[in-house]
Amino acid sequence: MAQRHLDPTDPTAAAGPPPVPAGGDALADYLRAQATEFLRALRLHRESGAGAHGNGAHPSGAHPSGAGALDRGRGRGPAPAPDGPVDAARALRRAARRLSGTLHTFQPLLDAEWAEAMRPELAWLSGTLALEHAYASRLDRLLQALHRLSGSAAFPAQQAGRAAPARAAATADPAPVAPLAPSVTRPSPADRGNLTVGAAKAGALLDRQLTLARTRAHSTALQALGSSRFHAVADKVALLASEVPLKDTAAAAADLRPLAAAARDRLTDAVAALPLVTAGNPYNAQALVHGLSPDPAPHPQDAQWHQVRLLLRLHRYALEVLAGTDADGADGADGTTDVRLLAAGEALDRHRDASEAAAAAAQAARTPRIAPATAYALGVLHADQRHEVEAARYAFQHSWRKEPIRL
């Protein structure tokens, strides 16, 4: 299908065909549906782990803490059904993200005090559950890159087809999480023997640092899911599943399109502020200007792109509310899907993963008293991931400037 280039600052280019008119009742239906998904994920946690041990249930019996399911990551308890805990964590985080994002976009139609209190709690829960799997995915990405840069054989996971990385399904939502995720496939000692000494030591250093961070994130998730704070959030979501606190009776008939358009405009303005001309080139030399800076802060060019990723997610959630769907990439009420938004989201997810991996390599290179060969390997790895960042930016601008395709 022929595609024409459009001005990315044009709001109509970002939105595609106008969404189907929807009122406050559609917002209430969407929030109730996501709250139901949240509670269903909690029940799956309970059935697959916490509830079976009798130590993770909420005092009311309605909400499990998830501790038993998380303990499976450490080998405790009976073996669960394949991917059961992983799917539960993914669904839990997915629903929490959508609830939080929807409350942010449509807050003027909701009870202000309730929405202001609820949104940060949902964001806290989603972020806490994301950490463990994010560290595991980051380590996997860096070890794969070390082997690729060394010209050694692929990991067994790659040869077997390599199941989608942790954040691939998140395109649709970007980032499936699972503090309960099984350990990422690692290279065997024999595989590491194929690396140079510097690359092998760099891989061992990254393994130690990121595994320690993952273990700490696992403990944090366990504490969070067993805390009174989590139970308070679960109780509020249970109430939301039956009653949505709209601002007033007029909100039930309010038009959602102006608020959804505001979310779209924020995205369009943020994209317009990006250096898309620079990103239009496969290689951006400016991206390495601060490569040797002693400042461990995130790369100065990344913040804008991360913000666009968050705004794109809010825009997609707003479209879901208008279309009456709750699934990324699934058909809406009009049977269409804007594949341009999906492609842009995929590129921004790759951008996020690569920038975080580059930061992890740079952090490892600052370890005192490491061998020169190890530091060199980490420097090459850092540069490789920064090139991946530029490739993702190039892919984003390439997809964003095209005419929306609705299937």
Side-chain angles (χ1 to χ4, degrees):
M1 177 184 296
Q3 299 177 347
R4 60 186 178 88
H5 292 283
L6 298 180
D7 181 358
T9 62
D10 180 6
T12 59
V20 178
D25 289 337
L27 172 62
D29 290 343
Y30 183 83
L31 290 174
R32 280 193 292 265
Q34 294 306 320
T36 301
E37 288 297 319
F38 186 98
L39 298 175
R40 182 177 294 118
L42 288 184
R43 186 173 65 250
L44 180 56
H45 269 279
R46 183 181 182 184
E47 293 173 351
S48 60
H53 294 289
N55 60 357
H58 186 275
S60 65
H63 312 298
S65 69
L70 281 174
D71 283 343
R72 275 211 185 76
R74 295 180 174 177
R76 304 172 190 166
D83 293 335
V86 176
D87 291 339
R90 180 178 302 163
L92 180 63
R93 195 170 162 248
R94 175 182 181 277
R97 267 200 309 267
R98 278 171 162 73
L99 286 170
S100 179
T102 304
L103 294 183
H104 178 274
T105 301
F106 298 101
Q107 182 171 335
L109 299 180
L110 300 165
D111 179 84
E113 183 178 354
W114 173 84
E116 281 291 343
M118 188 70 169
R119 185 164 57 84
E121 294 301 288
L122 290 167
W124 159 77
L125 176 61
S126 176
T128 301
L129 295 181
L131 287 176
E132 182 185 357
H133 195 83
Y135 285 123
S137 178
R138 195 170 306 154
L139 176 58
D140 181 49
R141 180 185 186 92
L142 289 169
L143 294 182
Q144 296 282 0
L146 276 175
H147 275 252
R148 172 171 50 81
L149 294 170
S150 300
S152 59
F155 287 10
Q158 285 179 309
Q159 296 169 346
R162 199 177 160 201
R167 299 196 181 212
T171 307
D173 214 338
V177 241
L180 337 171
S183 298
V184 178
T185 302
R186 308 277 174 78
S188 66
D191 291 328
R192 280 198 181 149
N194 294 330
L195 298 175
T196 62
V197 173
K201 289 185 176 180
L205 177 60
L206 289 168
D207 198 338
R208 286 197 303 272
Q209 292 185 348
L210 292 177
T211 299
L212 176 61
R214 182 187 182 188
T215 301
R216 290 173 175 170
H218 180 88
S219 299
T220 300
L222 281 174
Q223 294 171 2
L225 290 176
S227 67
S228 58
R229 184 180 182 182
F230 169 74
H231 292 314
V233 173
D235 287 338
K236 291 179 180 179
V237 173
L239 294 176
L240 179 62
S242 59
E243 181 180 358
V244 176
L246 295 175
K247 186 175 184 179
D248 48 42
T249 54
D255 190 354
L256 302 182
R257 288 176 295 178
L259 294 175
R264 179 200 64 203
D265 292 341
R266 288 192 292 270
L267 169 64
T268 303
D269 293 342
V271 173
L274 292 175
L276 286 185
V277 174
T278 302
N281 299 312
Y283 178 75
N284 174 15
Q286 286 296 113
L288 298 178
V289 167
H290 302 280
L292 297 179
S293 171
D295 186 2
H299 197 283
Q301 287 192 4
D302 292 345
Q304 284 180 291
W305 292 86
H306 293 333
Q307 180 66 15
V308 167
R309 177 178 171 273
L310 295 177
L311 292 174
L312 177 61
R313 176 181 290 176
L314 292 177
H315 174 52
R316 286 176 34 247
Y317 294 166
L319 292 182
E320 288 182 2
V321 175
L322 297 182
T325 179
D326 64 349
D328 286 314
D331 291 340
D334 58 353
T336 64
T337 297
D338 189 345
V339 296
R340 189 192 65 149
L341 290 182
L342 296 181
E346 289 177 355
L348 291 175
D349 285 339
R350 293 197 302 273
H351 177 276
R352 184 264 322 271
D353 293 344
S355 65
E356 291 178 348
Q363 181 63 33
R366 295 187 181 95
T367 303
R369 298 184 298 278
I370 59 175
T374 305
Y376 174 78
L378 291 169
V380 172
L381 186 59
H382 174 267
D384 173 73
Q385 292 304 302
R386 291 309 306 180
H387 283 300
E388 291 287 338
V389 167
E390 294 308 314
R393 293 178 181 179
Y394 179 76
F396 172 82
Q397 72 84 30
H398 186 68
S399 62
W400 186 260
R401 290 175 178 271
K402 290 182 179 179
E403 180 180 4
I405 305 173
R406 303 189 69 83
L407 302 177

